[in-house]
Amino acid sequence: MKRTNNNNWIFTISIILTAIVLAFLSFIPINIEYIKPFVVYFDPTKLLSNLPLWIFINSIIALYSHSEKTSMLNTTLFNIICFASYCLFSKILTHAMPKEMFLTWIVFTLIWAIFAYLVWSANRKDTKGWILSTILLAILFSTCTENTISSTTILNFLLYVFLVVILYKGTKETLIIVVLSILLAMILNKFQIQIIFTKSACIYFNSVLL
C-alpha cells in the first residue's frame, strides 16, 4: 500500500513517540499504592526485559513500512530512540546508566536492521511470505511454552495471536501457517534454541562480552 509523504512523516513521528513512551513506562514507580495491585498482573518496569515484545513491535513496524529499505530504517530508528530515551530517563530518574544493556541492545538493533528486510516480505502471499510468516510466528510461539503459566507467557501468546491476525492470508492458508509455526516452535523448544529470546540469555551475553 502506497503512502504519501505526509503519511510517511506521520508514521515516522509515531515510531519516535512510541519509542519514547515505552522507554518512559519502564520507569513508572511501582511503590505507588494505587499501582501495586496491578503490578501482580503487569509490571511496566519490566517492559525492556521481555524481548518477544520488542520482536513483535519491530515486526509491526517492518510490516507496515513502505518498502524493505524503509523497514530497515524504521526499525533501526525505533530501537535507537527507545534505548537512547531509556538511558536518558535512567540518568535523570535514577542517576545511573544501564551499561549492562548496551551490548544486548546494540546487537539486537543490528540484527533487526537485517531481519526487518525479511520480515517486510512476510506480508506477501507467495511461498516466501509463507515461510517468513511461519518462522516469525514460530519464534513468538516458542516463548509461550514455558513449564509455568505467567503474565509474560500470557502476554507472549497474545502477541502471537495478534501477529497471526496481522499476517492473515486467508482462512485455509493462515491455518496451515499456524500449524506449521507451532510445530517449528516445538522443534525450537526441543533444542532450546528459543533461549536466545529470553532475559537470562541477554544477561549471559553481556557477562561474556563485558
Side-chain angles (χ1 to χ4, degrees):
M1 180 175 154
K2 274 193 169 182
R3 287 201 194 90
T4 63
N5 289 332
N6 287 337
N7 287 337
N8 285 332
W9 276 109
I10 291 174
F11 188 61
T12 301
I13 293 172
S14 298
I15 290 173
I16 295 174
L17 292 177
T18 300
I20 295 173
V21 170
L22 288 175
F24 178 73
L25 284 176
S26 299
F27 289 95
I28 292 180
I30 62 175
N31 58 340
I32 299 178
E33 289 300 323
Y34 66 84
I35 291 181
K36 282 184 178 180
F38 300 99
V39 173
V40 177
Y41 306 101
F42 175 70
D43 185 353
T45 62
K46 293 182 179 179
L47 270 177
L48 291 180
S49 300
N50 188 27
L51 286 188
L53 173 63
W54 299 111
I55 292 174
F56 174 80
I57 295 174
N58 276 275
S59 296
I60 299 301
I61 293 173
L63 289 169
Y64 283 96
S65 293
H66 180 67
S67 64
E68 293 98 327
K69 291 182 179 179
T70 54
S71 70
M72 297 172 66
L73 293 174
N74 287 335
T75 53
T76 300
L77 174 67
F78 171 78
N79 290 320
I80 291 176
I81 294 295
C82 190
F83 189 59
S85 300
Y86 183 82
C87 291
L88 179 62
F89 290 133
S90 179
K91 187 65 177 178
I92 294 174
L93 300 175
T94 67
H95 306 292
M97 293 292 286
K99 296 179 181 179
E100 72 281 357
M101 297 178 64
F102 281 168
L103 290 176
T104 297
W105 206 257
I106 290 173
V107 171
F108 182 76
T109 301
L110 291 175
I111 289 175
W112 263 99
I114 300 171
F115 197 50
Y117 188 91
L118 298 175
V119 172
W120 187 87
S121 298
N123 261 331
R124 297 167 54 169
K125 295 187 178 181
D126 55 10
T127 303
K128 183 179 180 180
W130 277 50
I131 294 173
L132 293 174
S133 296
T134 300
I135 294 174
L136 188 57
L137 290 171
I139 290 173
L140 278 182
F141 192 81
S142 68
T143 64
C144 308
T145 55
E146 297 180 1
N147 295 328
T148 57
I149 297 177
S150 64
S151 58
T152 300
T153 55
I154 293 175
L155 172 62
N156 293 344
F157 180 73
L158 291 175
L159 295 178
Y160 171 81
V161 173
F162 291 151
L163 199 55
V164 168
V165 174
I166 292 170
L167 293 172
Y168 181 79
K169 304 179 190 301
T171 304
K172 181 181 178 181
E173 293 82 359
T174 301
L175 182 59
I176 294 174
I177 290 174
V178 167
V179 172
L180 291 176
S181 68
I182 293 175
L183 292 175
L184 180 57
M186 292 173 65
I187 295 175
L188 293 177
N189 285 335
K190 184 176 181 180
F191 292 98
Q192 297 184 335
I193 299 177
Q194 84 285 0
I195 194 171
I196 64 175
F197 305 114
T198 64
K199 179 183 177 182
S200 58
C202 296
I203 297 174
Y204 173 76
F205 181 76
N206 279 301
S207 66
V208 170
L209 295 180
L210 287 177

